Amino acid sequence: MAKNYTPVSAASDVETIFKMLEGRWKLIILFHLFGGKVQRYSDLEKLIPGISQKMLAQQLRQLEADGIIERKVYPVVPPKVEYRMSEWGQSLCPALDALLKWAEARPAELKVG
Amino acid sequence: MAKNYTPVSAASDVETIFKMLEGRWKLIILFHLFGGKVQRYSDLEKLIPGISQKMLAQQLRQLEADGIIERKVYPVVPPKVEYRMSEWGQSLCPALDALLKWAEARPAELKVG
DNA sequence: CAGTATCCGGGTAGATACTG
DNA sequence: CAGTATCTACCCGGATACTG
């Protein structure tokens, strides 16, 4: 590993990362923005059935505060707001890929139960 | 990516992974088992201050059910139970490393606020 | 030693209504 | 269009007590 990790510090660092990414809707928002895609608030509402306006706004705020996504407001009427991944946020993709690869390597007998 | 991911399926797959790893104590348990370390129930109790017996047992059961760790019971009195990573569980390490690397690449201006 | 059983409180998400 | 505000319900985790 890159740093001097102890079991406690490594777990705590990963927990910090998880806190940034978990939450009922964050991942699905992120995957709708990966690859440089730009989406308006209303686009995301349509892309994510079942999400409430409160939750969409809240999760977007948190992702923005953590620097994973960027929010751009156009001073027009009616309002127009765009969301996109930050450069750093985009670089999350390979790490999530590693997790997906790991899941695919799961022994077959476990995939059912 | 390896499979035919849509934003929805990729998010859902990652969520499944997160559900296996999140939970108040799972990561710290895992990091105390990574590297082939073997721990008894009472070892983990000592290594993880603040955890209750209920939570320790519960998180261990879930990790075992997901195939990430293995549980070995010795039929002796007093009881002796050992926990270790499964082969697949051990292979989670590089994926978590990728996440840690990602966190380290976070722009400096964000690390404070 | 290695667990279960039970009760309880706080936080997160859902539903609904309202607004610049 | 892009949000806030408020109320409520549920579930996770903590505390405590008990057991093969």
Side-chain angles (χ1 to χ4, degrees), chain B residues 23-25 53-55 58-59 79:
Chain B
R24 182 76 181 75
W25 304 98
Q53 293 184 308
K54 166 189 160 184
M55 290 310 296
Q58 178 188 105
Q59 309 271 288

Side-chain angles (χ1 to χ4, degrees), chain B residues 33-54:
Chain B
L33 294 174
F34 271 136
K37 290 197 286 287
V38 177
Q39 311 278 8
R40 297 181 61 169
Y41 183 92
S42 53
D43 294 331
L44 292 169
E45 268 193 292
K46 285 165 208 151
L47 287 167
I48 308 175
I51 196 171
S52 67
Q53 293 184 308
K54 166 189 160 184

Side-chain angles (χ1 to χ4, degrees), chain A residues 34-100:
Chain A
F34 271 135
K37 290 197 288 285
V38 177
Q39 310 278 9
R40 298 180 61 168
Y41 183 92
S42 54
D43 294 330
L44 292 169
E45 268 192 292
K46 285 166 208 150
L47 287 167
I48 308 175
I51 197 171
S52 67
Q53 293 184 307
K54 168 190 159 183
M55 289 311 296
L56 179 54
Q58 179 188 105
Q59 310 270 289
L60 287 169
R61 292 290 170 281
Q62 292 177 12
L63 289 169
E64 187 198 3
D66 287 329
I68 299 172
I69 66 171
E70 286 165 4
R71 177 172 184 267
K72 183 166 186 182
V73 183
Y74 295 84
V76 296
V77 274
K80 173 176 175 178
V81 179
E82 284 179 349
Y83 294 92
R84 73 196 68 203
M85 301 299 294
S86 69
E87 194 178 338
W88 177 60
Q90 184 63 43
S91 76
L92 171 62
C93 215
L96 294 186
D97 259 10
L99 280 176
L100 290 168

Side-chain angles (χ1 to χ4, degrees), chain A residues 11-26:
Chain A
S12 148
D13 287 0
V14 176
E15 268 164 26
T16 303
I17 297 166
F18 275 28
K19 274 185 200 122
M20 296 193 316
L21 300 178
E22 80 194 17
R24 182 74 182 79
W25 304 97
K26 281 186 183 173

